[in-house]
Amino acid sequence: MSTAQDTGRQAPDRLLVIGCGMIAREVLAVKERLGLDHLDLTCLPAEFHYYPDRIAPALDKAILKARAEGYDRIFIGYADCGSGGMVDRVCEQHGVERMDGPHCFAFYQGIEAFNAIADGDMLSFYMTDFLCRQFEAFFIKPLGLDKHPELVSDYFGHYEKVVYLAQTNDPALDKVAEDAAKLLGLAYERRFTGYGDLTPSLARVAGPAD
């Protein structure tokens, strides 16, 4: 996915966010809310959520491509995301910055808030707006639960509750999360996070260049 226009070399003041497909809608929502017309977005596949070893190599290629297109300002719309520090190595190599935190579940809640409750959430299965919209495609079908529901306990038996980190107030998504908790046999908790640290982070990096 990309909303960056292919118009040759980009104006120096434009900012390109290279992000995870799982947060594309949210980045665009923040862009609209803050009036960041100079912010462009290109995304890597959301399925990298399952393959964190693919994130850093893909980011490296995406940054090189963006530089060739004339982007001087680039921000990485990923946290570490299970890469074991590889995202940081790519960022250091290219002199770019990424979202703070270990994953999007942390920066949606706010890093300070997440750190305060992280130990208590060790046995929580997080869902976001994206994961609610894609619950069938991201969990049910890949895990074979549509054909073998008896596998639920094998996959989710070590969790205690589903925690829905809601970016928006959407009754349809609430129902998906609640139904998911029932399906998985887990307790349910909803936390409205909005866009968390994504909003101030994009506001900061999209400001005037130093």
Side-chain angles (χ1 to χ4, degrees), residues 128-184:
T128 62
D129 283 14
F130 175 90
L131 291 175
C132 284
R133 293 188 183 95
Q134 301 297 329
F135 187 68
E136 290 282 335
F138 257 63
F139 297 109
I140 298 299
K141 291 183 178 179
L143 296 177
L145 298 179
D146 52 336
K147 297 179 180 178
H148 299 283
E150 70 275 9
L151 294 176
V152 164
S153 60
D154 292 334
Y155 289 122
F156 298 95
H158 59 291
Y159 291 105
E160 293 182 347
K161 64 180 175 180
V162 167
V163 176
Y164 171 31
L165 307 175
Q167 283 71 69
T168 58
N169 288 309
D170 186 330
L173 298 184
D174 291 347
K175 186 175 188 308
V176 171
E178 291 171 1
D179 288 348
K182 293 176 183 177
L183 173 67
L184 303 179

Side-chain angles (χ1 to χ4, degrees), residues 33 57 119 182:
R33 177 180 293 180
D119 289 343
K182 293 176 183 177

Side-chain angles (χ1 to χ4, degrees), residues 16-43:
L16 178 67
V17 175
I18 302 175
C20 171
M22 288 179 60
I23 69 168
R25 184 188 294 251
E26 289 71 30
V27 171
L28 294 177
V30 172
K31 170 182 176 175
E32 181 178 3
R33 177 180 293 180
L34 299 182
L36 304 176
D37 295 335
H38 61 295
L39 185 153
D40 296 329
L41 170 67
T42 188
C43 288

Side-chain angles (χ1 to χ4, degrees), residues 109 113-126 158-163 187 189 191:
Q109 297 183 85
F114 170 76
N115 288 337
I117 51 83
D119 289 343
D121 273 3
M122 287 294 290
L123 299 180
S124 297
F125 179 73
Y126 285 129
H158 59 291
Y159 291 105
E160 293 182 347
K161 64 180 175 180
V162 167
V163 176
E189 179 182 346
R191 298 176 192 165

